[in-house]
Amino acid sequence: MKIGFVSSTHDLSVGSYRIWVNDLNEYFRQTGTPSVICESPSQVEDCDVLICSKNDVHAAQTLKRSYPDKKVGIINLAADRIDLEVDFVIVGSLEEKDSLSHYDNVFLFPLIENMMQDSPRKVHQPKDKLVIGYHGSHTHLAKFNPYLCAALEEVARHVDFELSIITSNSNFNWQVGRPNIKNINIKQWSIHSIYEDLRRCDIGLVPNITAIPVGVKNTPAHLSEMGLYTTDYIVRYKNKSNAGRSFVFHQLGVPVVADLTPSNFHILGNPDCGFVAHNKRGWCKSIMSLTDHQTRQFIADNAKAEFDRIYDPLVWAKRLYNQLMEI
């Protein structure tokens, strides 16, 4: 079985192309699977399975009609596209997989950054001033609100640190969730500098959830009969939520504090591998625990070992190949 990738972009700075086209194609080849990024109609015709990139939904439909005997799929499809004639969808998390369960075949391939796989890892040393880092889309910066924002303001009263923000739009007017602290450094995400930018960080922050306060002092009897209480969590997160931003920190040896997004628990559910937080006190205590360099090193080493155990990309590529074979 030969696999072909179809993509209208070949820009390595685009995460979906970099991970699910460029890197996945290479993983298939390393495991002995014939695989190619198609650049001509003849290459498309020569393949048995066609995997279309995130933004090539229309191409997938055209290909399926033109080649009804080939298996055609799409990467990271929008959940509201429920009428597409495709044979499979590739997703990056269990959260996303469930949201697309109306398709017959939904296959998981995690957001593993190949460019970080064999990179030298950070060695933690005692420091007078820490770098606490965030990387990712500027749209997630609002997720600092309200608890992480308040926690960072509290930590700043006790610890000297720089908040390093490496984001998709360094000119974004960050207001919601921006902590009132002195040292915030915002830098444009770049594929040419992201490795060094992340290795500067001593602690990695991964906020994603929108917190919704319960706001009910007394639980009515009919609600308590349903198992609902004033202490319940009420949170909101995208169907495409995943642990990709945590993964990169794990790969580079930076200990992580992340929120309650389910995929974070695959590694951070082990307290020796990092911290999960939601409210101000949880974020604050977790960050303060990592001000000790020996703790940072211990956590980072354990998280990397667990990441390597669970997320070997060649194992995942073989699994995906077998799933494609079954259809």
Side-chain angles (χ1 to χ4, degrees), residues 178-323:
R178 182 179 180 124
N180 183 21
I181 58 177
K182 292 181 180 179
N183 298 312
I184 301 179
N185 178 32
I186 300 179
K187 185 175 181 179
Q188 183 71 36
W189 191 100
S190 167
I191 196 169
H192 303 295
S193 63
I194 187 61
Y195 167 71
E196 291 297 338
D197 291 338
L198 292 179
R199 282 190 79 244
R200 285 188 65 240
C201 300
D202 300 295
I203 301 170
L205 303 178
V206 186
N208 177 62
I209 278 175
T210 299
I212 304 173
V214 177
V216 179
K217 293 183 179 179
N218 297 304
T219 304
H222 70 282
L223 292 181
S224 61
E225 290 174 0
M226 297 170 60
L228 302 177
Y229 306 97
T230 58
T231 51
D232 291 348
Y233 291 107
I234 302 179
V235 298
R236 179 172 181 166
Y237 53 90
K238 290 170 60 178
N239 78 297
K240 293 180 181 292
S241 294
N242 58 74
R245 286 180 288 144
S246 294
F247 286 175
V248 178
F249 283 129
H250 297 326
Q251 288 173 289
L252 296 183
V254 179
V256 171
V257 186
D259 67 19
L260 294 174
T261 300
S263 286
N264 287 326
F265 285 82
H266 302 166
I267 291 177
L268 300 180
N270 180 345
D272 287 342
C273 294
F275 297 89
V276 173
H278 178 65
N279 60 42
K280 172 188 172 182
R281 188 168 296 176
W283 283 104
C284 189
K285 290 176 68 175
S286 300
I287 294 169
M288 291 299 296
S289 296
L290 292 169
T291 56
D292 173 68
H293 75 282
Q294 292 179 324
T295 301
R296 293 198 300 275
Q297 192 69 62
F298 175 79
I299 292 292
D301 289 346
N302 290 332
K304 179 60 164 62
E306 189 68 355
F307 176 86
D308 289 343
R309 185 183 72 84
I310 301 175
Y311 294 109
D312 182 331
L314 299 185
V315 171
W316 282 91
K318 290 178 183 177
R319 180 184 291 118
L320 178 57
Y321 174 83
N322 290 334
Q323 291 170 325

Side-chain angles (χ1 to χ4, degrees), residues 33-318:
T33 298
S35 181
V36 64
I37 299 175
C38 298
E39 296 182 352
S40 68
S42 62
Q43 287 180 309
V44 170
E45 292 175 0
D46 192 42
C47 293
D48 305 295
V49 174
L50 298 172
I51 301 176
C52 296
S53 66
K54 176 180 179 179
N55 296 320
D56 289 297
V57 173
H58 297 298
Q61 297 291 269
T62 300
L63 288 168
K64 187 59 186 176
R65 297 187 189 105
S66 301
Y67 304 101
D69 293 334
K70 298 184 187 295
K71 300 303 180 183
V72 179
I74 304 179
I75 297 163
N76 206 222
L77 180 66
D80 57 352
R81 302 298 296 268
I82 60 174
D83 57 345
L84 298 181
E85 300 173 11
V86 293
D87 299 295
F88 63 92
V89 179
I90 295 176
V91 299
S93 68
L94 296 177
E95 297 91 312
E96 186 179 11
K97 182 178 181 180
D98 183 75
S99 74
L100 290 167
S101 58
H102 47 275
Y103 286 95
D104 291 336
N105 301 296
V106 186
F107 303 137
L108 172 60
F109 190 88
L111 285 86
I112 303 168
E113 287 280 13
N114 187 46
M115 65 179 179
M116 303 295 184
Q117 275 294 88
D118 299 316
S119 301
R121 296 170 56 239
K122 186 180 184 72
V123 176
H124 292 271
Q125 303 288 349
K127 294 180 66 175
D128 293 329
K129 183 175 183 178
L130 297 177
V131 177
I132 300 178
Y134 162 91
H135 74 101
S137 172
H138 65 279
T139 58
H140 290 296
L141 291 173
K143 310 306 181 183
F144 279 62
N145 181 63
Y147 302 126
L148 177 53
C149 173
L152 289 170
E153 291 172 352
E154 177 63 27
V155 171
R157 297 187 180 98
H158 309 281
V159 177
D160 188 14
F161 71 89
E162 169 197 325
L163 178 60
S164 175
I165 304 292
I166 305 110
T167 189
S168 56
N169 181 2
S170 59
N171 295 316
F172 175 68
N173 183 20
W174 184 21
Q175 294 185 5
V176 178
R178 182 179 180 124
N180 183 21
I181 58 177
K182 292 181 180 179
N183 298 312
I184 301 179
N185 178 32
I186 300 179
K187 185 175 181 179
Q188 183 71 36
W189 191 100
S190 167
I191 196 169
H192 303 295
S193 63
I194 187 61
Y195 167 71
E196 291 297 338
D197 291 338
L198 292 179
R199 282 190 79 244
R200 285 188 65 240
C201 300
D202 300 295
I203 301 170
L205 303 178
V206 186
N208 177 62
I209 278 175
T210 299
I212 304 173
V214 177
V216 179
K217 293 183 179 179
N218 297 304
T219 304
H222 70 282
L223 292 181
S224 61
E225 290 174 0
M226 297 170 60
L228 302 177
Y229 306 97
T230 58
T231 51
D232 291 348
Y233 291 107
I234 302 179
V235 298
R236 179 172 181 166
Y237 53 90
K238 290 170 60 178
N239 78 297
K240 293 180 181 292
S241 294
N242 58 74
R245 286 180 288 144
S246 294
F247 286 175
V248 178
F249 283 129
H250 297 326
Q251 288 173 289
L252 296 183
V254 179
V256 171
V257 186
D259 67 19
L260 294 174
T261 300
S263 286
N264 287 326
F265 285 82
H266 302 166
I267 291 177
L268 300 180
N270 180 345
D272 287 342
C273 294
F275 297 89
V276 173
H278 178 65
N279 60 42
K280 172 188 172 182
R281 188 168 296 176
W283 283 104
C284 189
K285 290 176 68 175
S286 300
I287 294 169
M288 291 299 296
S289 296
L290 292 169
T291 56
D292 173 68
H293 75 282
Q294 292 179 324
T295 301
R296 293 198 300 275
Q297 192 69 62
F298 175 79
I299 292 292
D301 289 346
N302 290 332
K304 179 60 164 62
E306 189 68 355
F307 176 86
D308 289 343
R309 185 183 72 84
I310 301 175
Y311 294 109
D312 182 331
L314 299 185
V315 171
W316 282 91
K318 290 178 183 177

